[in-house]
Amino acid sequence: MGNVIIMDHPLIKHKIGIIRDSSTGTKEFREMISEIAMLETYESTRNLSLEEVEIETPMAATTVERLAGKKLAIVPILRAGLGMVSGMQMLIPSAKVGHIGMYRDHETLEPVEYYCKLPADIEDRDVFVVDPMLATGGSACDAIAQLKKRGCKNIRFLCIIAAPEGLKRLREEHPDVDITVGALDDHLNEIGYIVPGLGDAGDRIFGTK
Ligand code: PRP
Ligand code: URA
């Protein structure tokens, strides 16, 4: 069974407070999304494996630890997941980036896939699927199913705000996936928005409303 980490850190709490505030503008919103994603990446990479390497410091020969050369990929769910990529690349700069485009049908709340472009060797990589919002869980579950169909075995999911309904569904449909959540909110409203949430993440990142 995968782990679920609900972040409990003052920096993340502070930054999530800023993005929840409806008076926060696009520039600051985008910066905060990127910074929160970076902090979540720090936590969700805690179990990456290391290997010992012999090196020489200016003073002596010694043994150091390095990441064991595991190949990584970041897969944002378009659009809003794109906002998390720059912060993650600060910590894992050599990760390849794939894209899965999905939007929720406003009537049914079912995700509709409109784009998918992944690194050719995606099945050999540890994959971080990222989207700021986990609401019904439909988009995350479908994106992860798509990656599993392509042969991916080690998948983590990172989001900034989750509804209990979406977290439950993701755990049920993909129990093997490690999940990192910035904040677990109260509920989904009747039109599928997270409460208290932050509104429409894509519109707030890209200034489209
Ligand atoms: C939002 C969000 C997630 C999805 C979450 O995307 O970024 O992808 O909704 O909802 P779910 O858990 O119920 O599937 P949206 O459909 O608004 O598309 P956008 O990012 O292009 O704005
Ligand atoms: N997508 C969003 O952007 N916000 C929500 O609250 C739910 C889904």
Side-chain angles (χ1 to χ4, degrees):
M1 192 81 174
N3 288 325
V4 178
I5 300 170
I6 314 279
M7 296 296 297
D8 180 24
H9 192 288
L11 287 176
I12 294 207
K13 288 179 195 282
H14 177 81
K15 290 173 196 294
I16 289 181
I18 293 172
I19 57 175
R20 287 190 193 281
D21 188 335
S22 52
S23 70
T24 298
T26 301
K27 176 175 182 288
E28 193 180 13
F29 189 90
R30 214 171 33 234
E31 287 166 357
M32 290 300 116
I33 291 281
S34 172
E35 288 175 20
I36 295 163
M38 180 178 70
L39 294 167
E40 288 193 40
T41 302
Y42 178 76
E43 192 56 42
S44 79
T45 49
R46 186 174 284 283
N47 58 3
L48 287 181
S49 35
L50 294 166
E51 62 191 6
E52 292 193 341
V53 182
E54 309 296 324
I55 58 134
E56 295 205 12
T57 76
M59 313 305 292
T62 190
T63 305
V64 295
E65 289 178 304
R66 280 197 189 142
L67 289 172
K70 202 96 178 104
K71 297 201 284 186
L72 306 178
I74 304 168
V75 177
I77 301 177
L78 307 183
R79 286 178 300 169
L82 277 179
M84 297 174 71
V85 175
S86 57
M88 299 183 71
Q89 286 174 318
M90 305 270 276
L91 298 190
I92 47 173
S94 56
K96 295 278 193 288
V97 181
H99 297 87
I100 295 184
M102 280 192 184
Y103 68 86
R104 289 198 311 176
D105 181 285
H106 284 296
E107 299 290 313
T108 64
L109 299 183
E110 287 301 317
V112 180
E113 187 182 318
Y114 60 88
Y115 187 76
C116 184
K117 182 78 180 169
L118 300 169
D121 60 351
I122 190 78
E123 68 277 6
D124 299 329
R125 293 180 178 270
D126 281 8
V127 182
F128 296 76
V129 178
V130 302
D131 191 324
M133 310 305 279
L134 181 68
T136 65
S139 304
C141 286
D142 280 16
I144 292 168
Q146 177 72 260
L147 289 162
K148 286 184 175 174
K149 230 189 279 172
R150 292 278 304 264
C152 298
K153 284 170 273 316
N154 294 308
I155 300 175
R156 296 172 174 79
F157 179 76
L158 270 66
C159 67
I160 294 181
I161 311 267
E165 295 88 335
L167 185 57
K168 179 168 179 287
R169 177 168 170 186
L170 184 53
R171 293 287 279 166
E172 284 168 2
E173 288 192 25
H174 298 290
D176 55 305
V177 169
D178 284 341
I179 303 169
T180 306
V181 175
L184 183 60
D185 272 16
D186 194 60
H187 68 281
L188 281 183
N189 71 10
E190 60 288 351
I191 53 166
Y193 275 77
I194 302 173
V195 182
L198 49 72
D200 187 306
D203 282 340
R204 295 198 64 191
I205 290 170
F206 296 106
T208 40
K209 224 171 226 167

